[in-house]
Amino acid sequence: MANEGNLKNGEPYRFKAGEKQVEIARKGGIASGEAKRRKKTMRETAKMLLDMEVPKQAGEMKRKLAAMGVTEEDYTYQTAVIVGILNQAMKGNTKAATFLRDTIGENPAEMGEGESTLADAIEDAYEKRMEMEGEQDVEQ
């Protein structure tokens, strides 16, 4: 509610005239630009890291990628993350399944009827995984 006390509390924030207002606006613009650059840098860093090749020392990760049928030239962290999310979806994690569905552009709210193929992709990946695990059990 407006009262005399509220008006006095707002005194330091009232419009400033002349050079003082220009200085305040300039500082605000500089701070805004720095924040945008930091955010852009984080986005670019995340993209760079996701595009990096999985190192040779990450044998377990490469084995999982191979088990999913990923070719060696696609051994990136981005691929590894998607494979991990796919594995979670196959275990029943509905948030992971929703993320995958939305990532590949099959959100029902944005699609026509009968166009979904995510369930087929998960089922195929699951069958491949079971085949690979069956082959590993035979070898041991």
Side-chain angles (χ1 to χ4, degrees):
M1 238 190 228
N3 66 38
E4 199 62 36
N6 289 342
L7 295 175
K8 287 180 185 175
N9 290 338
E11 189 96 15
Y13 303 104
R14 285 191 185 155
F15 180 76
K16 307 279 192 257
E19 290 181 23
K20 191 167 186 173
Q21 178 62 31
V22 170
E23 180 64 21
I24 291 170
R26 187 182 72 75
K27 287 180 181 178
I30 291 171
S32 173
E34 288 174 358
K36 285 179 184 178
R37 279 191 294 282
R38 277 195 309 273
K39 289 177 184 176
K40 181 178 178 184
T41 302
M42 282 184 116
R43 181 174 50 251
E44 288 173 351
T45 302
K47 286 180 180 181
M48 178 203 58
L49 290 172
L50 286 170
D51 287 338
M52 287 176 60
E53 187 177 324
V54 174
K56 292 178 182 174
Q57 297 84 359
E60 177 68 17
M61 189 182 301
K62 286 188 173 186
R63 187 188 66 71
K64 287 179 181 179
L65 292 172
M68 296 294 288
V70 176
T71 59
E72 281 193 43
E73 59 265 8
D74 291 327
Y75 285 2
T76 63
Y77 285 109
Q78 181 171 338
T79 304
V81 167
I82 294 298
V83 167
I85 292 169
L86 179 60
N87 283 329
Q88 287 296 309
M90 291 186 323
K91 291 177 184 177
N93 182 330
T94 57
K95 286 186 179 183
T98 300
F99 174 82
L100 283 173
R101 181 201 66 204
D102 294 349
T103 300
I104 62 173
E106 293 188 4
N107 187 327
E110 299 170 4
M111 292 178 55
E113 259 184 67
E115 291 185 45
S116 181
T117 61
L118 179 59
D120 295 334
I122 291 173
E123 186 174 337
D124 290 344
Y126 180 76
E127 287 172 6
K128 274 187 181 178
R129 182 177 179 183
M130 291 296 107
E131 287 174 17
M132 294 295 290
E133 286 180 5
E135 289 173 12
Q136 288 175 358
D137 289 342
V138 171
E139 290 174 6
Q140 292 177 0

